[in-house]
Amino acid sequence: MKFLRGYTGLEQDKRILYTPSPFAKKNLIYLQEAGELCANREHISQRDYLRSYLVILVMDGTGRVFYKGKQYTVHAGDCVFIDCTNEYSHTPLDERWRFKWAHFSGGNAREIYENFVHNGGKPCFRAKRYLMLADLLTEIYNIAQEDNGFGDMLLYQKIVSLLVMLTQESRVTEEEIGFDRGIRDMTSIKQHLDRNYQEKISLDQLAEMFYVNKFYLTRIFKKQYGVSIVNYLTQVRITHAKQLLRFTDMPIEAVSQECGMSDANYFSRVFRKVEGTSPGEFRKMWQGT
């Protein structure tokens, strides 16, 4: 592992150019650069086709970010999370503009970023847990300076924590739902699915039961929980099936019925799709452990 402090000539610019090990490049999400910048009005950073993902947390002042043909004005407390294979640039709008940042790549970073976008994540957004994000970026910078033999693994741990927090930030919380101009809270519908997964449930039935349009129901449930109603119900049923397969001797057909899937063959197909193995194989692997 090697690292290099880099300087661009800008006042109060500090950064680490990090070189991960071959192991990290092959197996982990790894750091490329990290730092903190207090930019002046003349500074413009512009790149495209960079195989990297960039997180910026604005600490002070105001700046402007251009990304995928759109312009965003960002202030203290705002966060930027972008895919740098797309053209982007950022520039200060006042002399106080200061931000922490980190570039990373590798592993399943692309899939995680796509999941962030799929869950409603925006390139620029107001950070709810601003201080926690700032602490993580500081820790990433500090770890990158230490040549202790564990840097790649420690950085991987911190970057994953950062990505988890960013994905959570992209989700609509139950508290926010209540203030979003009439958008209905889906908690009661989720609870109904948790309690009645053994029964036959359809979108039409849910819409009628909760007096809501089924297309609206589908959209808002996914916005609030990051998964469709159909997929959530499948997750609940498969989780219960795994408990029965592991801790009881019930036949596969009985497990299928108990989980709300009357057709055992259909149950087996769904189980294999979710778990990558058949119900019988899952039972052999896990029973007795």
Side-chain angles (χ1 to χ4, degrees), residues 15-60:
R15 69 177 63 209
I16 293 290
L17 306 182
Y18 188 82
T19 302
S21 67
F23 169 81
K25 279 200 167 186
K26 182 178 180 180
N27 299 285
L28 306 178
I29 298 175
Y30 57 86
L31 183 69
Q32 296 167 310
E33 297 184 11
E36 183 173 340
L37 174 66
C38 184
N40 58 44
R41 286 182 179 272
E42 288 71 39
H43 172 65
I44 299 176
S45 178
Q46 183 171 355
R47 298 185 180 92
D48 61 355
Y49 303 112
L50 184 65
R51 296 179 62 181
S52 180
Y53 297 88
L54 172 63
V55 175
I56 291 175
L57 185 66
V58 182
M59 308 298 293
D60 195 11

Side-chain angles (χ1 to χ4, degrees), residues 118-120 170-174 176-190 193 203 210-230 232:
H118 179 73
N119 286 329
S170 74
R171 299 261 177 103
V172 178
T173 65
E174 294 174 8
E176 291 169 321
I177 283 282
F179 296 97
D180 196 358
R181 290 186 293 187
I183 290 181
R184 183 168 179 174
D185 187 0
M186 297 285 113
T187 303
S188 58
I189 296 173
K190 177 178 176 293
L193 298 175
L203 286 175
F210 289 94
Y211 305 101
V212 62
N213 178 278
K214 71 176 181 180
F215 300 107
Y216 174 89
L217 169 63
T218 301
R219 180 172 61 86
I220 301 303
F221 188 95
K222 187 169 185 178
K223 185 176 182 181
Q224 185 167 345
Y225 293 110
V227 64
S228 70
I229 289 176
V230 172
Y232 180 77

Side-chain angles (χ1 to χ4, degrees), residues 121-181:
K122 306 298 182 184
C124 302
F125 57 91
R126 190 72 177 172
K128 307 180 195 72
R129 290 177 289 179
Y130 168 80
L131 293 178
M132 293 177 67
L133 287 169
D135 287 344
L136 270 174
L137 288 168
T138 298
E139 289 173 3
I140 287 170
Y141 179 84
N142 290 337
I143 291 169
Q145 295 187 85
E146 301 172 3
D147 192 3
N148 60 13
F150 300 100
D152 289 328
M153 295 297 292
L154 291 170
L155 286 168
Y156 172 70
Q157 179 188 43
K158 296 300 181 182
I159 293 171
V160 169
S161 296
L162 178 66
L163 290 172
V164 169
M165 195 173 298
L166 290 170
T167 302
Q168 290 172 334
E169 292 270 344
S170 74
R171 299 261 177 103
V172 178
T173 65
E174 294 174 8
E175 290 81 8
E176 291 169 321
I177 283 282
F179 296 97
D180 196 358
R181 290 186 293 187

Side-chain angles (χ1 to χ4, degrees), residues 40-41 62-64 72-74 91-97:
N40 58 44
R41 286 182 179 272
T62 303
R64 182 170 291 146
Y72 305 87
T73 301
V74 290
T91 185
L93 294 180
D94 64 48
E95 295 180 356
R96 295 182 300 113
W97 197 39

